[in-house]
Amino acid sequence: MSTTALAWLGRSAMRAVGGVGALALVAGRTAWALRGLERRELARGLVQFGYGSLPLALATAALAGVIVVVQAAIYIQRFGARAFLGWAAGYGVLWEFGPLLLGLIMSARIGARNAAELATLKVGGQIEGLRGIGLDPFALLVAPRVVAMEVSMLALSTFTFLVSILCEAVAAKLTLDLPVRVFFGTFAQMLSPSDILGGVVKTGAFGLAISLVSTAVGLRAKGGARAVGEAAASAVVLGCAAIFLLDFLLTTLLSRVLG
Amino acid sequence: MKRVLSFFGAPGVMLARTVRAGAREGIPWRETLAQVHELGGRSVWLVMSGMAFFGAVLVMIANAQAKKLIGNVAVLGPAYFEMLIRELGPAVSALLTASRAGASHSAELATMSVNEQVEALEMSAGDPYADLVAPRVVAGVVGVPLLSVLGTVAATASAVLVASVALDIDGRAFMDARYVDGWDLLVGGLKVVGCGLYIPLAAAVAGLNARGGAEAVGEATTEGVVAASLGCLLIDLTVSLAFQFVRL
């Protein structure tokens, strides 16, 4: 029994080390491949990741805004701090709910797709084919995705924050009958530009994590059609895990540096 | 407009067909158990670790807010606990389950329909709705509430731990159930049951409509995950807003 447990522990540890190594390898080779970045692939990625995700991102942003107000309303009703809603809701969406929900949705949408596509190419032997004719798969397939994801996430975060804050103001007016002027009064008074910077830094880190994790998982796929499905599912799971881990680390770190 | 209609309509039609087929043919309990394991057992670590991180992050945020407003974050404990049970526990657990189970359900069903195994099932007098969809729906309705209970426990435990270790305050304030009443449990329960019903249906709609090759499987997986996550967010929002209006 104990040997089985020990073997399991060893296997898990080996898998973890292998996973981290693969991730570092992908990151390093992507950074190396940035010079030979394929422009057309980058443009395609920007349209697909950024423009294609716009409706979903904006819907999520609106929902995030309303959810934050409904949640902040609990504090407001308990402690009677109506005037602080603008600050509390803005803080919540800029620091936490905006980046987190955008990251989770993008991990589900783009991460799964990236992993499935690269895994299909890997399983079909097409990656080996690219290497065979002297093309670098990292410059051709991975680096454009990483750059496109990063740019898309940073651009989408701006829209997300804007839309969620507008929705928050409207929701506060409708559910708590708080005048929009009061909402934006405390919002402008108590939030500083560094709060926006915190949210943008977080979103950027999530974008990098999602694209690196999903491409690394896709490139590691081995087997048949089943491996493609497994790669898609584990890209989503690992992407979510990376987002939560980064979220905790960055909240601790940034609130110390900026706050 | 058409997309909005199909987003809400297709799962509804799927539910009606599944209930009818399940009532007529009976639900295979062995497959249902396997699906409970697939949805619940294999998502439990994702949900618990994700919720543990989420609880820790929430305490850090609450601490930053309390520093500015009240001074002592422990005062926020009971309100925080109510918020976790009523809003965040169900919403985030369901979202995590939606991405894990939604992806695997829709990928599996899409592979089956692309390989014409669904047609083969129909040929051998099986009913795809009773044999494939109904067990997943039952597993969702049973599994998602259980997962969200475990997730909420994990979030509370990590909040207590972070508050007492990292922030040096009495973490037990975050387990204070002073404000939690039956309404909160009802709101949380409605959300998790709604999401548990919706996730398998959305994944089944995306999976069973897949046509083509390997590409279509990837497409269906993305679609299933997105539909399941968005649907869960919408359900949480609708329930929250409905109760907000009723109580005010």
Side-chain angles (χ1 to χ4, degrees):
Chain A
M1 186 60 216
S2 70
T3 31
T4 334
L6 215 60
W8 178 82
L9 200 67
R11 262 204 306 279
S12 312
M14 285 301 284
R15 262 213 307 272
V17 170
V20 170
L23 200 62
L25 205 67
V26 167
R29 299 211 35 194
T30 306
W32 180 251
L34 277 181
R35 294 170 308 145
L37 189 69
E38 171 78 21
R39 295 278 152 73
R40 219 173 319 155
E41 193 71 8
L42 176 64
R44 202 174 69 95
L46 280 177
V47 171
Q48 212 176 50
F49 298 178
Y51 181 71
S53 308
L54 204 55
L56 185 66
L58 294 189
T60 316
L63 290 173
V66 180
I67 287 176
V68 167
V69 165
V70 170
Q71 270 151 15
I74 294 175
Y75 287 89
I76 308 295
Q77 284 158 355
R78 298 277 180 243
F79 299 104
R82 270 164 60 98
F84 290 113
L85 181 68
W87 172 74
Y91 190 89
V93 94
L94 285 179
W95 272 91
E96 211 48 52
F97 292 95
L100 196 65
L101 282 177
L102 184 64
L104 288 181
I105 289 283
M106 289 292 272
S107 164
R109 194 183 124 83
I110 311 292
R113 192 194 196 107
N114 266 347
E117 265 177 33
L118 288 183
T120 310
L121 290 176
K122 177 77 194 299
V123 167
Q126 282 150 309
I127 301 242
E128 298 307 310
L130 282 180
R131 284 216 182 88
I133 55 175
L135 289 174
D136 181 10
F138 283 89
L140 204 64
L141 294 173
V142 179
R145 273 166 222 266
V146 173
V147 175
M149 186 72 187
E150 196 58 30
V151 174
S152 308
M153 279 295 266
L154 291 179
L156 284 176
S157 74
T158 324
F159 287 112
T160 310
F161 295 156
L162 210 64
V163 170
S164 8
I165 287 162
L166 288 177
C167 284
E168 279 178 346
V170 174
K173 174 81 186 124
L174 288 181
T175 60
L176 296 169
D177 205 23
L178 186 79
V180 175
R181 201 147 49 86
V182 177
F183 181 90
F184 281 113
T186 47
F187 181 81
Q189 216 171 21
M190 296 177 67
L191 284 171
S192 63
S194 70
D195 288 322
I196 300 178
L197 187 67
V200 172
V201 168
K202 269 189 165 181
T203 322
F206 293 167
L208 205 59
I210 294 167
S211 53
L212 285 177
V213 166
S214 63
T215 44
V217 167
L219 287 177
R220 268 164 73 86
K222 254 191 219 97
R226 202 177 176 82
V228 177
E230 260 164 33
S234 69
V236 175
V237 172
L238 291 174
C240 289
I243 286 174
F244 276 114
L245 189 61
L246 276 177
D247 193 47
F248 181 60
L249 292 178
L250 285 176
T251 302
T252 321
L253 196 74
L254 287 174
S255 63
R256 225 160 261 173
V257 174
L258 299 174
Chain B
M1 195 58 216
K2 200 177 146 205
R3 284 179 68 180
V4 172
L5 263 184
S6 73
F7 184 85
F8 291 109
V13 174
M14 182 67 81
L15 178 64
R17 282 185 183 162
T18 306
V19 168
R20 211 170 49 202
R24 194 178 53 222
E25 313 262 332
I27 299 170
W29 63 271
R30 202 181 285 267
E31 172 70 8
T32 308
L33 270 185
Q35 289 300 331
V36 169
H37 173 250
E38 164 69 29
L39 181 137
R42 297 185 64 187
S43 303
V44 69
W45 292 114
L46 174 72
V47 171
M48 283 187 78
S49 57
M51 288 301 287
F53 277 121
F54 197 70
V57 168
L58 267 183
V59 171
M60 304 300 284
I61 285 276
N63 184 46
Q65 289 188 335
K67 255 193 222 154
K68 219 161 197 167
L69 294 185
I70 307 167
N72 184 8
V73 67
V75 179
L76 286 178
Y80 167 91
F81 194 60
E82 186 197 12
M83 186 168 92
L84 193 66
I85 286 189
R86 184 189 166 102
E87 316 274 350
L88 292 179
V92 183
S93 304
L95 205 57
L96 286 169
T97 317
S99 52
R100 169 74 181 69
S104 85
H105 279 178
S106 44
E108 231 175 82
L109 291 177
T111 310
M112 289 187 79
S113 49
V114 164
N115 292 341
E116 295 178 358
Q117 282 159 316
V118 177
E119 273 90 341
L121 183 68
E122 276 174 341
M123 289 292 289
S124 48
D127 186 325
Y129 293 104
D131 292 346
L132 296 176
V133 183
R136 288 176 168 78
V137 171
V138 173
V141 173
V142 175
V144 174
L146 287 177
L147 280 174
S148 98
V149 170
L150 286 175
T152 309
V153 169
T156 312
S158 83
V160 171
L161 199 71
V162 167
S164 42
V165 173
L167 303 176
D168 214 20
I169 40 181
D170 187 12
R172 275 170 301 175
F174 285 89
M175 292 165 65
D176 195 340
R178 207 184 311 156
Y179 294 148
V180 179
D181 54 13
W183 284 105
D184 297 322
L185 294 178
L186 181 65
V187 172
L190 273 180
K191 284 180 180 175
V192 285
V193 171
C195 291
L197 194 62
Y198 188 81
I199 293 168
L201 288 175
V205 167
L208 291 180
N209 283 335
R211 290 288 174 276
E215 197 85 334
V217 176
E219 198 76 15
T221 309
T222 314
E223 208 175 295
V225 172
V226 169
S229 326
L230 256 187
C232 282
L233 280 174
L234 273 176
I235 288 171
D236 292 337
L237 186 72
T238 317
V239 174
S240 287
L241 279 182
F243 277 83
Q244 193 83 14
F245 277 120
V246 168
R247 284 180 107 188
L248 276 177

